[in-house]
């Protein structure tokens, strides 16, 4: 069974913080690099941050210094701590393997439902 369940989004004022969580099935999480992606309306989904199974991290320039990705291997969960949020961070946030999981025939990317983050005053 494959499953990705994101949570923690919401409405926050500019400069505020949110912590996103993603519970993944063992088959997706174990031993894999995990990432957080985001998608604005009308735009392609983009990688925001990723973390290897060993804990090495990498961030998009737009979030570097403000976002922190982490993982809890005991819980098969990946987190995204978002600080100093800006209106430009408004998007639906998704987690997945990096690169994303592909399933089916023909193969298509598998995504969870995502969690909406809205940064607005």
């Amino acid at each position: 069974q494959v499953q990705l369940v994101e949570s923690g989004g919401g409405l926050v004022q500019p400069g505020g913080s949110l912590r996103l969580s993603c519970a993944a099935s063992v088959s997706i999480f174990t031993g894999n690099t995990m990432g957080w992606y985001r998608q604005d309306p009308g735009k392609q989904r983009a990688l925001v941050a990723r973390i290897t199974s060993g804990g090495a991290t990498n961030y998009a320039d737009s979030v570097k210094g403000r976002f922190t990705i982490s993982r809890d291997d005991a819980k098969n969960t990946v987190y995204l701590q978002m600080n100093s949020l800006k209106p430009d961070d408004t998007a639906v946030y998704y987690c997945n393997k990096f690169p994303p999981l592909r399933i089916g025939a023909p193969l298509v990317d598998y995504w969870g439902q995502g969690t909406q983050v809205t940064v607005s005053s």
Side-chain angles (χ1 to χ4, degrees):
Q1 181 184 5
V2 292
Q3 191 173 27
L4 292 163
V5 181
E6 300 94 344
S7 61
L11 173 64
V12 62
Q13 292 187 342
S17 298
L18 282 174
R19 188 191 194 211
L20 306 183
S21 299
C22 171
S25 55
V26 171
S27 61
I28 297 175
F29 188 90
T30 303
N32 289 316
T33 295
M34 295 296 294
W36 280 97
Y37 304 74
R38 68 186 182 189
Q39 186 170 25
D40 297 343
K43 295 185 179 180
Q44 284 193 329
R45 207 164 306 191
L47 181 68
V48 172
R50 65 180 190 254
I51 184 167
T52 69
S53 58
T57 58
N58 186 272
Y59 298 92
D61 287 343
S62 59
V63 306
K64 205 170 291 184
R66 300 188 298 121
F67 290 11
T68 303
I69 188 171
S70 61
R71 62 191 291 160
D72 185 334
D73 291 350
K75 296 180 179 180
N76 297 328
T77 299
V78 60
Y79 304 98
L80 187 67
Q81 178 66 44
M82 306 187 295
N83 298 328
S84 303
L85 282 161
K86 306 174 181 179
D88 284 350
D89 295 319
T90 296
V92 180
Y93 285 72
Y94 302 85
C95 73
N96 209 327
K97 291 169 59 270
F98 176 80
L101 174 69
R102 309 205 83 197
I103 61 172
L107 289 173
V108 294
D109 288 350
Y110 173 84
W111 296 95
Q113 84 287 352
T115 186
Q116 175 71 49
V117 171
T118 303
V119 184
S120 175
S121 55

